[in-house]
Every structure is written in structure tokens, then in C-alpha cells.
Amino acid sequence: GAGVSQSPSNKVTEKGKDVELRCDPISGHTALYWYRQRLGQGLEFLIYFQGNSAPDKSGLPSDRFSAERTGESVSTLTIQRTQQEDSAVYLCASKTYLGETQYFGPGTRLLVL
Amino acid sequence: AQTVTQSQPEMSVQEAETVTLSCTYDTSESDYYLFWYKQPPSRQMILVIRQEAYKQQNATENRFSVNFQKAAKSFSLKISDSQLGDAAMYFCAYRSANGGSEKLVFGKGMKLTVNP
């Protein structure tokens, strides 16, 4: 079956612009995560969705960051008024409700000029 | 809060040799999972191996095995018979088993080079 997909693969934007990143989880996976990976660093948790429950937004670094998920399918991560420090790879992962392993997408590399 | 530390930023190994990657973590929880993920230049995070903290037996997946020392909070990865395709960034990660978001907490990673 298909894995987690993300689009776009790369995104270059100008400081101050808004960007939207998309994640398509594995079909049937109710849990979805967004992580940020800055250059040379490990992944930082941003937000978690589980079915229709309220999302865990505790990792979002500022109110410029938001995310939505439609049911148990696609999720979009929106960064408003982008800053240069937002430049990073944004990775999405999904898993089943009781599963122990998160499966990752290939990420979106965001460059803010 | 849990933390994961990978103290070696880079390592190299000769093809066919064995290499051990170290990882330590800090937690007050007794029930959790530990993972090693591999990230090649393609950026895709690939699960290498998983260990449940309640299991005393060390996990093994083909050429990959772990040395899990719960009391010492240590979780090292041994790669046997290293292959060129093993070259990648390796990340150690922790996940609570006590419910909640079950987010992964990652170390900073270690770059493994495999020399032919």
C-alpha cells in the first residue's frame, strides 16, 4: 500500500508570506503527527491529531503555526508571516490507533529567504 | 520532560565490520518505547528497530540489534556486517507508553559513514 505522502517536496518563499504544507497519511491511520527538523538537528514535535479528538498543539512554536485535519485523512500545516528561522524540513507521520510505530513521509523542505 | 542524548555526532566504519551507536535518555517513567530510525539523504525516516521497556530481551532485526540497559537508561544500536547502504543519519527516539499524544522525542542524530 501507499506510504505517507507530503507536498510540496520543496518550497521556497519570501519572508512574510504564508505557506501551506500538505500531508496524506496511510489509509486507516487515525493518528497523525507533524515534526520539524532544523538543519543538523533531531526532529521536534509540533502537533498531533487522533481521530476526532482535540489535537495536541503543545509543540507549536508560535501562533503563526496552525494545522488542520479533515476527519482521518489529509492534514495541512500552515505557517503565517514566515520568518527565516522557519526554514527547516517539515515531516509528517501517521500510525494506527493502537500501533507502536510511526511511519514517516519524505518531508517538505521549506526555505524562507 | 524526557530527553534523548546522542553524544557522538559522527562515526565511520569499514564495510563488513561492526559498529555500535550510543544513546542515553532521561525519564521518570517506567513504561515506554525506544526506537532507532535511519534517515538517508532522501529524508525519509525509516524505522530500524524498536524496544519495549518492559521486555528484558534485547530486540534484534537481522543485522541490527540493541543493547538495552534500563537501569542505566542506555539504548545502543549495533550494526553487524556493515553495508554501504547503511550510511545515513541515525536517530534514537523515546515514546511514552502512558497515553497522551505518544509523540516521539528524538536525539540530535549521528551521521554514519561506511567506507568501502
Side-chain angles (χ1 to χ4, degrees):
Chain A
V4 178
S5 60
Q6 293 186 244
S7 60
S9 179
N10 295 282
K11 175 73 176 178
V12 181
T13 190
E14 294 179 347
K15 179 181 171 181
K17 296 284 180 69
D18 297 353
V19 295
E20 267 193 8
L21 312 180
R22 177 188 169 107
C23 171
D24 279 274
I26 294 172
S27 178
H29 282 196
T30 57
L32 186 147
Y33 301 78
W34 283 98
Y35 293 89
R36 178 173 70 178
Q37 185 179 24
R38 288 176 160 152
L39 186 64
Q41 301 295 314
L43 282 68
E44 306 168 81
F45 167 76
L46 295 177
I47 189 168
Y48 160 74
F49 296 93
Q50 172 61 268
N52 294 318
S53 302
D56 176 358
K57 304 179 182 180
S58 60
L60 294 178
S62 78
D63 58 8
R64 296 186 297 105
F65 287 72
S66 63
E68 292 185 349
R69 188 180 186 194
T70 307
E72 296 182 354
S73 59
V74 171
S75 176
T76 55
L77 176 68
T78 302
I79 308 173
Q80 295 178 310
R81 305 180 302 281
T82 52
Q83 304 294 312
Q84 288 181 334
E85 62 261 29
D86 298 335
S87 296
V89 175
Y90 290 83
L91 290 145
C92 175
S94 70
K95 75 175 186 74
T96 59
Y97 176 61
L98 295 176
E100 295 165 357
T101 300
Q102 295 179 23
Y103 296 88
F104 283 81
T108 294
R109 183 181 298 279
L110 175 66
L111 178 61
V112 182
L113 301 176
Chain B
Q2 295 83 21
T3 58
V4 176
T5 302
Q6 294 178 253
S7 56
Q8 303 155 301
E10 289 191 48
M11 291 186 75
S12 63
V13 63
Q14 291 296 126
E15 195 175 4
E17 297 291 306
T18 296
V19 64
T20 299
L21 287 58
S22 63
C23 171
T24 58
Y25 58 95
D26 189 26
T27 184
S28 59
E29 298 178 327
S30 60
D31 200 11
Y32 49 87
Y33 297 91
L34 296 165
F35 304 83
W36 279 99
Y37 278 89
K38 168 184 175 181
Q39 187 180 42
S42 67
R43 296 199 307 249
Q44 187 93 38
M45 295 286 283
I46 301 165
L47 177 68
V48 174
I49 199 165
R50 180 184 72 228
Q51 174 79 43
E52 292 88 346
Y54 64 85
K55 289 186 177 178
Q56 292 188 342
Q57 186 173 6
N58 289 323
T60 299
E61 288 286 342
N62 300 313
R63 298 183 294 109
F64 299 89
S65 61
V66 299
N67 183 4
F68 173 49
Q69 301 290 327
K70 191 172 184 179
K73 297 179 182 174
S74 170
F75 183 60
S76 62
L77 174 69
K78 185 171 83 171
I79 305 174
S80 304
D81 185 26
S82 297
Q83 299 176 359
L84 295 177
D86 295 333
M89 288 291 297
Y90 284 81
F91 292 90
C92 180
Y94 170 103
R95 199 201 95 196
S96 172
N98 294 325
S101 70
E102 299 180 335
K103 66 184 180 186
L104 290 168
V105 178
F106 285 86
K108 290 188 175 182
M110 193 224 67
K111 182 179 179 181
L112 179 66
T113 301
V114 181
N115 300 311

